[in-house]
Amino acid sequence: MPTLVMKFGGTSVANLDRIARASKRVALEVANGYNVIVVVSAMSGKTNELVGWVNETSPLYDAREYDAVVSSGENVTAGLMALRLQEMDIPARSWQGWQVPVQTTSAHANARIEAIPTDNIEAKFADGMKVAVVAGFQGISPEGRITTLGRGGSDTTAVAFAAAFGAERCDIYTDVDGVYTTDPRITSKARKLDRIAFEEMLELASLGAKVLQTRSVELAMRYRVKLRVLSSFEEPSDQAGTLVCAEEDIMENNVVAGVAYSRDEAKMTLISVADRPGIAAAIFGPLADAGVNVDMIVQNISEEGRTDMTFSCPFDQVKRAQKAMEDAKASGSINFHDLVADEGVAKVSIVGIGMRSHAGVAAKMFETLRDEGINIKVITTSEIKVSVLIDRKYMELAVQALHDAFELEKAA
Ligand code: ADP
Ligand code: ASP
Ligand code: MG
């Protein structure tokens, strides 16, 4: 029997009514002849609440216990959805990560899926089970402890199951009806895209468009999973949503496909470090060891053998970064006069495959920001994106101005 993966995000399982509504969708696909693997998130707001409790209890928490706590939200929705389906006379069973088992690395709070053996669930399907309701976002480490896959990780659970089971499609049901040219919460001019290339979606996701977790797009691209994003609130239709697909399957590429932003950034500057071979390794090695995800890096020109080193990281990692740098200083491996943290910045990016063949896209971005009087603090570019770090208070304005400048309201 063909298999379908259906993932329901937090707002789609926010209360019992929504779980009932999602279950009806699942029932439709069962009636269409599929064995369904449903992947559920925690009820919306639940994971944030759990993360808050962990931070309040222990600011530099043990990540194994963070995972023990924050993975629990998904267990509730998986059980409730299985019960609701059973009430509808559909043979359904819930599965926590360890029961499948979803085998992951031991990188707690940010683990990667290594394997999903299909035997246990296949055996139940063979026995007449129609729906496996899997708790998203969680797995089990080689040491036998519960892990989580990073925020938004249920998307990755869904795509990984689709790849492991050779599913016909992976449908991601969320609170918007597809992938837009930018977050529709920021501008009403945002347009839904019928299709978007894996590469573009990958960049948009990694630059902050949280509609899909980055790793889920990576997996879909690698295993060629047919990935669709659609709304759980609209009537079912074959044409609904956005198909994330190979570049060749898109007729015409826009120069810029979308604008992404990330609010949760911080800029840190080490003032006056020795400008010598090995200094970058001496700074960024300890940061990596401390689990700090460094993004943009700028090294100033040096004066009298000393320089300033600036980098950006998520602002909830500032404390970890400061501790790693103070420890490195105490051990004598680096020396600096001061460490300045600017927690009031945001990153805004434009993404598009068409940039490969169009010159002047970055210049147009910079002119647009100039015309709005927005100062750029750091810039990074790649073949298909340009990102800038700016004051957070201008973030919405920057996104709207760039959306206008690249005429994305005309996109489709
Ligand atoms: P879920 O709980 O279903 O996983 P998320 O909140 O993680 O949902 O992701 C959906 C949200 O992503 C939308 O409500 C929207 O605000 C945001 N978003 C950001 N960028 C985009 C984009 N380019 N297209 C669509 N949604 C976007
Ligand atoms: N509940 C988790 C989170 O909020 C995972 C997910 O929803 O994808 O990050
Ligand atoms: Mg999500």
Side-chain angles (χ1 to χ4, degrees), residues 7 9-10 40-43 47-48 70 74 136-137 150-155:
K7 180 254 170 177
V40 286
S41 290
M43 292 176 173
T47 311
N48 283 347
V70 305
E74 273 68 12
F137 180 50
R151 297 306 306 272
S154 296
D155 299 328

Side-chain angles (χ1 to χ4, degrees), residues 365-381:
M365 178 180 194
F366 304 150
E367 285 157 17
T368 305
L369 297 174
R370 174 202 63 199
D371 294 346
E372 298 294 337
I374 300 171
N375 189 33
I376 301 171
K377 293 168 181 264
V378 184
I379 302 170
T380 53
T381 66

Side-chain angles (χ1 to χ4, degrees), residues 200-366:
E200 289 172 331
M201 192 63 238
L202 193 61
E203 288 284 5
L204 285 174
S206 73
L207 295 167
K210 68 172 185 158
V211 61
L212 287 174
Q213 198 198 33
T214 309
R215 183 87 184 117
S216 73
V217 187
E218 262 168 35
L219 286 182
M221 189 159 131
R222 165 133 43 103
Y223 295 103
R224 293 286 142 156
V225 171
K226 198 167 171 198
L227 181 62
R228 198 162 66 137
V229 178
L230 66 172
S231 162
S232 61
F233 303 110
E234 289 193 353
E235 287 312 307
S237 117
D238 283 350
Q239 302 310 313
T242 300
L243 191 67
V244 188
C245 59
E247 199 180 328
E248 314 73 274
D249 298 334
I250 300 179
M251 296 286 277
E252 208 178 321
N253 286 311
N254 301 315
V255 177
V256 173
V259 184
Y261 65 87
S262 163
R263 207 186 289 276
D264 312 329
E265 304 284 321
K267 174 170 141 282
M268 315 222 13
T269 305
L270 286 158
I271 311 259
S272 188
V273 289
D275 190 10
R276 57 164 171 86
I279 188 66
I283 292 171
F284 296 107
L287 286 170
D289 293 343
V292 177
N293 297 98
V294 172
D295 177 20
M296 304 163 132
I297 299 175
V298 187
Q299 183 179 338
N300 281 6
I301 52 164
S302 72
E303 231 172 272
E304 293 166 13
R306 301 195 78 82
T307 185
D308 298 340
M309 189 79 87
T310 296
F311 61 90
S312 69
C313 69
F315 77 52
D316 60 359
Q317 294 178 358
V318 164
K319 282 199 186 72
R320 272 173 204 271
Q322 279 167 332
K323 182 167 186 314
M325 292 297 87
E326 294 302 341
D327 288 352
K329 189 177 183 181
S331 78
S333 62
I334 56 171
N335 196 350
F336 54 87
H337 283 176
D338 203 0
L339 175 56
V340 184
D342 178 356
E343 294 179 62
V345 293
K347 183 169 64 176
V348 174
S349 312
I350 54 173
V351 171
I353 281 176
M355 277 186 215
R356 286 185 194 138
S357 49
H358 279 77
V361 178
K364 185 166 175 177
M365 178 180 194
F366 304 150

Side-chain angles (χ1 to χ4, degrees), residues 7-12 41 44 152 155 172-176 178-185 201 204 208-212 259 261:
K7 180 254 170 177
F8 292 94
T11 40
S12 311
S41 290
S44 63
D155 299 328
I172 306 283
Y173 286 91
T174 182
D175 58 357
V176 278
V179 178
Y180 278 67
T181 48
T182 193
D183 188 345
R185 287 175 210 232
M201 192 63 238
L204 285 174
K210 68 172 185 158
V211 61
L212 287 174
V259 184
Y261 65 87

Side-chain angles (χ1 to χ4, degrees), residues 19-154:
I19 290 177
R21 200 183 168 117
S23 303
K24 281 191 193 149
R25 290 232 168 210
V26 175
L28 284 179
E29 300 294 6
V30 171
N32 285 338
Y34 289 104
N35 280 338
V36 181
I37 296 174
V38 175
V39 174
V40 286
S41 290
M43 292 176 173
S44 63
K46 191 69 206 172
T47 311
N48 283 347
E49 180 181 49
L50 297 169
V51 170
W53 289 345
V54 169
N55 280 318
E56 210 177 309
T57 309
S58 172
L60 290 173
Y61 50 74
D62 176 336
R64 282 163 294 211
E65 301 311 335
Y66 167 97
D67 280 350
V69 176
V70 305
S71 62
S72 64
E74 273 68 12
N75 297 343
V76 175
T77 40
L80 289 172
M81 174 88 91
L83 286 172
R84 167 70 8 229
L85 288 161
Q86 289 174 2
E87 288 295 323
M88 297 161 73
D89 288 329
I90 295 173
R93 184 60 66 210
S94 70
W95 297 80
Q96 295 184 6
W98 64 273
Q99 293 172 300
V100 176
V102 177
Q103 296 167 358
T104 73
T105 60
S106 347
H108 283 277
N110 200 17
R112 279 174 168 248
I113 296 177
E114 302 224 290
I116 301 180
T118 56
D119 340 4
N120 287 340
I121 288 181
E122 296 279 22
K124 287 285 181 190
F125 277 140
D127 248 13
M129 178 181 74
K130 285 279 146 208
V131 183
V133 189
V134 173
F137 180 50
Q138 52 173 264
I140 183 164
S141 72
E143 294 77 29
R145 298 215 63 94
I146 305 300
T147 53
T148 63
L149 309 178
R151 297 306 306 272
S154 296

